[in-house]
Amino acid sequence: MPVPAFEEYEPAGDCVCLGCAQRRRALARARAIPLRDGGHPAARGARRALVLATAAGVVLGGGGSAALAAANPVPGPGPVSLDTPGSPQGGRSPLHGRPAPAKPAGAPGAPSALRRIDRTSIITRAKVWLDAKVPYSMSTYWSDGYRQDCSGYVSMAWNLGTNEWTGSLDKFATKITKEELLPGDMLLFHNPSDPTNGSHVVLFGGWVDETRTHYVAYEQTRPNTRTGATPYGYWNNATKYVPYRFNGVTGGLAEDPAATDPKPAVPTVFPGATQFGPGANNEYVAQLGRMLIERGGRRFYPKGASTAWSDADRLATQAFQTAQGWTGTDADGIPGAHTWQLLVEHTGKDIRPTVDGAPGSPPRPGPPGAPGAAGTHGGPAGTHGGPAGTHSGPAGVPGRPAGVPGYPGLSVFRPGSSNPLITALGRRLVQKGFGKNYTSGPGPRWSEADRRSVEAFQRAQGWRGAAADGYPGPETWRRLFA
């Protein structure tokens, strides 16, 4: 009798023998992560065992296979002995099918050495379960050894090597702010007084848009793994979800601009004037918008750059051209080769925050004392520079409250500026509770953190639009230092 060849095979879809039934079940569960990426070694071993068992049945001529397959289905792995009943996700435990760690499960603190992993790998691992539609369960385990609940899902994506729960995942991570969230971070809600009442954890996959009101969540929930746009921090108990960053993620805690706003490389060669203007819709238009935003044109793009040409692109381009001292047809709002070169090489002058009569600028104030004169900047019309005859003049003008430093002028606060008044402004914003945008400092050089902080303060006054563009005018200055 010839010796049968033992090799892996694809089971017939209609075969009811025990081997084919088990093989189909194994394939359905074996969208496993490779061993080199932290996958469970038992997954491949189990598949080989099924092949051997099937081949042995063929050799021995077991005719009862069909009856066995039609009987009770082969059960999946059950809970390990270290599971604790107090958590809806199950307790801390080793990977299913592996020996328990030397450190007793449930002991506080994360392991001394964490596996390093980059953000792309975290999301890739999360998508493995998403593609496999892994069913939610608090007591069963997927072929990679991780428990099929929300905390097991995050443990798997972070490649922790253990099954954690919402009461222990924070030991592997560092608390961050909403503004610092990047793909691969987690949003965690743990209710220690009653873990069964809403405790949950999701993976952050990125913001849906620039409003940052919704994000892409990867989560393990009923009936199976899913992803989708989710309101910050979640559908319920939103304010109780806390953002965390895995301590083993490569790149540290500093924000990685490439991760938050990936951009294609900007071509250094001018693509031609035909790519711009009414009706144009292409990536060059979006690249133009992004470059103009970086050069001080954010106020023209309240919704960000787009591939479709709009008045925002024309006005921002015209403002940049005007800042170079160009006039007439040289400042018509359509980028030429010279405009493109200055933007690509980041040379030339930035767009002025406000210029009399320039596109996007608020009205110029009337003479001091003129009834109802529009303000200069930083508040609604009639209040930017304060009521008529007040606060809009230089230091020492009657009507300015004592102790408020004189407003130094808008030219002090613009991209590229560096002076002690910017530091004073930043420190005052921090004192007033508007300093969350500063990852360091404040310092003397004007930055996007300064602009965002000023904008937050202005919005807190109820101002909108051009009155809250992040550049301090006299009324903003007065209220900050009052």
Side-chain angles (χ1 to χ4, degrees):
M1 178 175 132
V3 178
F6 295 96
E7 57 183 284
E8 296 191 14
Y9 64 94
E10 293 297 324
D14 57 353
C15 180
V16 296
C17 77
L18 178 60
C20 285
Q22 288 181 319
R23 178 66 174 153
R24 284 194 296 270
R25 189 173 295 110
L27 288 175
R29 294 177 59 88
R31 298 288 301 267
I33 299 167
L35 181 60
R36 64 178 179 273
D37 294 329
H40 191 23
R44 183 169 177 83
R47 293 197 297 270
R48 291 192 178 278
L50 290 175
V51 175
L52 293 174
T54 305
V58 173
V59 173
L60 298 176
S65 321
L68 287 172
N72 297 326
V74 177
V80 299
S81 59
L82 292 176
D83 279 348
T84 54
S87 165
Q89 330 76 42
R92 298 186 68 197
S93 64
L95 292 187
H96 185 74
R98 292 186 181 179
K103 187 181 197 179
S112 56
L114 291 174
R115 300 173 182 175
R116 306 294 288 173
I117 187 171
D118 59 55
R119 299 185 181 282
T120 301
S121 298
I122 292 175
I123 299 301
T124 298
R125 291 172 67 87
K127 288 179 178 179
V128 170
W129 278 28
L130 184 67
D131 293 342
K133 294 182 172 60
V134 175
Y136 176 87
S137 174
M138 295 181 292
S139 60
T140 58
Y141 297 78
W142 196 238
S143 56
D144 52 17
Y146 287 97
R147 194 176 52 247
Q148 297 168 207
D149 57 20
C150 62
S151 48
Y153 183 50
V154 173
S155 300
M156 179 277 299
W158 282 0
N159 195 18
L160 295 183
T162 56
N163 283 291
E164 301 299 323
W165 71 303
T166 56
S168 62
L169 279 170
D170 62 329
K171 306 297 190 303
F172 295 78
T174 299
K175 190 182 298 185
I176 58 175
T177 65
K178 174 184 176 182
E179 288 71 24
E180 293 173 312
L181 274 167
L182 295 174
D185 296 335
M186 75 170 174
L187 286 161
L188 173 68
F189 168 43
H190 178 64
N191 185 356
S193 61
D194 184 8
T196 63
N197 186 21
S199 293
H200 190 47
V201 62
V202 302
L203 280 172
F204 179 82
W207 295 108
V208 171
D209 55 37
E210 66 172 8
T211 64
R212 297 196 173 192
T213 58
H214 288 70
Y215 65 98
V216 177
Y218 290 88
E219 59 178 325
Q220 183 68 7
T221 187
R222 294 180 177 90
N224 48 249
T225 317
R226 71 180 182 187
T227 185
T230 305
Y232 188 85
Y234 197 64
W235 300 98
N236 48 34
N237 296 306
T239 59
K240 298 179 180 178
Y241 279 77
V242 180
Y244 284 88
R245 176 157 299 157
F246 177 44
N247 292 335
V249 72
T250 56
L253 298 181
E255 181 171 351
D256 179 6
T260 56
D261 189 18
K263 308 179 185 69
V266 179
T268 57
V269 178
F270 178 56
T274 56
Q275 300 294 330
F276 308 97
N281 192 330
N282 55 71
E283 183 57 32
Y284 296 116
V285 176
Q287 290 170 345
L288 173 70
R290 288 192 288 263
M291 291 189 293
L292 288 167
I293 289 173
E294 292 175 355
R295 298 301 297 274
R298 183 174 294 275
R299 69 177 181 270
F300 298 98
Y301 296 94
K303 296 183 179 180
S306 169
T307 58
W309 179 269
S310 67
D311 280 343
D313 299 296
R314 182 183 63 80
L315 291 172
T317 302
Q318 186 178 28
F320 180 77
Q321 293 168 332
T322 303
Q324 314 312 310
W326 306 342
T327 59
T329 57
D330 292 330
D332 58 0
I334 302 296
H338 194 189
T339 300
W340 188 264
Q341 181 183 4
L342 294 178
L343 288 169
V344 169
E345 297 178 355
H346 210 83
T347 55
K349 297 180 179 179
D350 290 338
I351 296 173
R352 300 183 183 97
T354 54
V355 181
D356 297 346
S361 302
R364 181 70 176 173
T376 55
H377 200 67
T383 64
H384 298 193
T390 68
H391 316 319
S392 57
V397 172
R400 182 170 58 81
V404 178
Y407 177 61
L410 193 58
S411 61
V412 172
F413 310 104
R414 61 186 299 272
S417 297
S418 181
N419 58 74
L421 289 169
I422 295 175
T423 304
L425 173 73
R427 289 175 178 170
R428 192 64 175 171
L429 286 164
V430 172
Q431 292 173 2
K432 290 280 189 177
F434 296 90
K436 66 181 182 180
N437 293 300
Y438 293 104
T439 55
S440 62
R445 186 172 182 81
W446 181 262
S447 67
E448 183 64 7
D450 295 303
R451 194 197 66 78
R452 288 185 179 182
S453 299
V454 172
E455 181 182 1
F457 177 81
Q458 291 168 333
R459 288 185 175 276
Q461 314 308 305
W463 305 336
R464 297 294 183 268
D469 63 358
Y471 296 98
E475 180 64 5
T476 299
W477 186 265
R478 183 187 68 82
R479 295 194 184 194
L480 268 173
F481 288 91

